[in-house]
Structure formats: structure tokens, C-alpha cells
Amino acid sequence: MADKRSRRAEMPAPKVFLARCNTYDQKTVDQRIREAFSAFGGVDAVMPSGSRVLVKPNLLMSYHADKAVTTHPAVIEALLKLLLDAGARVTIGDSPGFGSAARVAQEAGIADVAARLGVRIVEFNESVEVTTPPGSLFRKIYVARAALEADAIINVPKFKSHGQMTLTLAVKNLFGCVVGRRKAQWHMAAGRDHHAFARLLLELASLLAPCFNLIDGIVGMDGNGPSAGRARPMGVLLAGPDALAVDHIAAAIAGISENRLPIEITARQIEHFEASLRQIEVVGAKVQDLALDDFEPPESVDVQFGPRFLRRTLRNALAARPKVDRQQCQACGICADSCPPQAMTLRNTRIEIDHSACISCFCCQEMCPHHAIDTRRGWLARLLIHRST
Ligand code: SF4
Ligand code: SF4
């Protein structure tokens, strides 16, 4: 299956819609999301009438909507109403990190919205092997059949910080279209190289090519995201057909330099991805009016500078590692089950980490339901920060 990247270079400069939205009041959210589609010619211009549309929210794991881990149900409701009014045949789907999509959607308040509007929630439990285009880093990608067979995907991420990728936005949200345990295999395939993982995410986004991306940043998360950080009002909605361009503007709002974003650094090295970052036209609100001056990034540091032979040493000295908070830990073992290289072991009631095997993917932190995993910077990073304060 060919992806749409070959057409990217000839496409006009990407456009991103940006709006201030400080509330989940349904009428207000309905209005903003209608404006988002109008900026691109309306729902009918974004996808053909009668399409089978898959709505892909962030359903990481079971949390109440107030925790800002999952996409808010008011955003999903506004989107579903617009799509159904336009005659689309809509389903909602995801492959959560833990638990079923139905269970996570229930806790997040999305299942009630779906039931009220007659929309089915599908589990991603069957993978399809897809051969990637020449030049891809990975020759094959396995994606959920439901995502591949939809006529159109609408990607609805939550605006959050992320230990490995610094931010999780539209591109990263599509990793949920990889089914269950296959996610761990991809983490292992990329290993400690966050840029290889970023390349996989870019290739996956290119393959799935959502027709529209709508980032819920009304209340987002900073600090130790994507599940253990601080839920915080951000007051923004972003939208557009180009996931990478939308993410670029979101990062600008968070004040995160592109040098801290593995996805963006990787994209800039590859022409067909780099095109998404050229001359982005922002419509609606202005970035400077919505910029956050207190967004706390995660503590992780990736090392891509210095001579290649020194990078490993530097990475070990600088990179953040997971650290278990013994007071918080409930010895449930979920982190050990989620650890791609099985670097964690639950012994009696203690989690032990083999740091020589750890690939700093932070899946453990993402999955810990008790927020018992902190990040600890490498010794050199701690020393440098201590000296500068
Ligand atoms: S997932 Fe969290 S609470 Fe459970 S064993 Fe791991 S660190 Fe402890
Ligand atoms: S210990 Fe945590 S950060 Fe390290 S490899 Fe396992 S899941 Fe990833």
C-alpha cells in the first residue's frame, strides 16, 4: 500500500486552525469545532459524504476526563454531531495501553456520548501487515485493520507532555493504531534511539494519513505526562489536515524548542516530512496570544550531539531514567508487564529495574496507575542544573 507522502512535496503550505477555548461547556466547544472545520471548507470538504469515518481519540488508559489523560468527551461529542449531520458512518476506536477501548471510553465519559449518539466503539484487536514505501526505516508496519479499512480517520489527541517524545500530540496519538503488544515490539525495534522511534511514528502517520487532526488542549497536561503529569488549563484547540504542522504549532504554544522534539528533528531531516513544516499558515487566533509561559516539559533529555562514539556515554550521563517511588508503589506489576525489554521485575513487593536493559521509553511511567514512577535525570544533567542554579 502506498502512502500519501509522495504528494506532499507538491501540496500547498499547510494550514493550521487555532482557537482559544477555555471551557468544556458543550455549546462553546460545538461552536469552536464547527469553526475549525469551516476554516477548511466544512466537513464535506474534509472528507467525502457517506464516508466510513474512524474517530481516534487518546484512550491511553482508564482515567476520569478531569485527569486530562484522555480526550475530553465534550470534544468527541461536538465532533460526532458534526460528522453524523454530514452523513458520515462513524466509529470510535483505539488500542489503549492498558484495558479495552470500551472500558477506557466508559471511564473517560466517551462511551456515554457514543451510546447517546448511536456510535459504536471498536476494539483494535486485529493487525494487518503493510509494506512501507521504499526508503522507509521499517519495511513493514502492522496496523489495526479497523484503522486501515476506514475511508477516513479523524485524529483527536490530547495535548500532553511525554517522557520519551517530550510532547504527545497528533503524530504520536496515531501509535494507538498499533495493536496491543505490538507496540512493545516497536519500542524494542527502535531501542534507545528515540529518533528511530520518531521515524516510525512519522511513517505510521504518513501511512494512515488522517484527513483531520483536532488537538484537545482546553485542559492539557505538563510535567510527567502522559498520565502522571499536571492537568492544567491551556485554553487551546488546534486543527488541520496535516498532523505534523498542527503539532508544530502546538509545540510553539507550549514554548518547546524543536531541538527537544525527536519527531520534529527527524522530520526536518527527510524532505517529504520537512515539507509539512515549511511556511505554515495559522488561521483563527494568533500563536503569541495563546502562548503558555509556564509549560513544564518532562525531565527527559535526549542526546544527539557530540561525536557518535561519545553519544552513548553522554546519553547515559544525561538521559533521564525511571525511578520507583516506594511510598506510592502498590506492587501491582503493571509497569513490569508494560516494559518492552522486560527490564523491570516485581520481586515480592518491590519493583527492580535493570538500568543496563532500560531503553528509556517511559512506558512504565505511562502505564503506572498510581503515579509511582518518577524520572531521574542522569548524573551529568543533575550536576549541570545544580551549577546553573
Ligand atoms: S505500576 Fe506503579 S504501582 Fe504498579 S508496581 Fe509498577 S510502580 Fe508500582
Ligand atoms: S524500565 Fe521503564 S523506561 Fe525503562 S525500558 Fe522499561 S518501561 Fe521503558
Side-chain angles (χ1 to χ4, degrees), residues 274-331:
E274 196 267 340
S276 292
L277 300 169
R278 272 185 234 143
Q279 299 175 330
I280 299 170
E281 180 194 2
V282 178
V283 296
K286 291 190 168 63
V287 171
Q288 61 268 31
D289 292 342
L290 296 182
L292 304 165
D293 57 10
D294 61 346
F295 185 92
E296 269 183 37
E299 293 196 350
S300 52
V301 177
D302 191 28
V303 178
Q304 292 297 322
F305 54 84
R308 196 170 281 275
F309 72 94
L310 263 181
R311 281 186 199 167
R312 188 167 172 180
T313 312
L314 279 170
R315 190 178 284 147
N316 287 341
L318 285 167
R321 294 172 188 286
K323 180 171 180 287
V324 179
D325 179 338
R326 306 275 169 219
Q327 304 294 322
Q328 294 286 335
C329 178
Q330 304 293 312

Side-chain angles (χ1 to χ4, degrees), residues 33-43 46 79 82-83 154 212:
I33 293 181
R34 212 174 300 121
E35 288 164 8
F37 277 94
S38 295
F40 298 90
V43 177
V46 168
L79 176 62
L82 272 181
L83 296 175
I154 299 196
F212 206 63

Side-chain angles (χ1 to χ4, degrees), residues 321-322 335 338-344 353-354 357-365 373:
R321 294 172 188 286
C335 55
S338 316
C339 175
Q342 298 178 328
M344 309 182 95
I353 303 176
D354 173 1
C358 173
I359 57 172
S360 297
C361 62
F362 295 99
C363 293
C364 51
Q365 187 184 53
I373 296 192

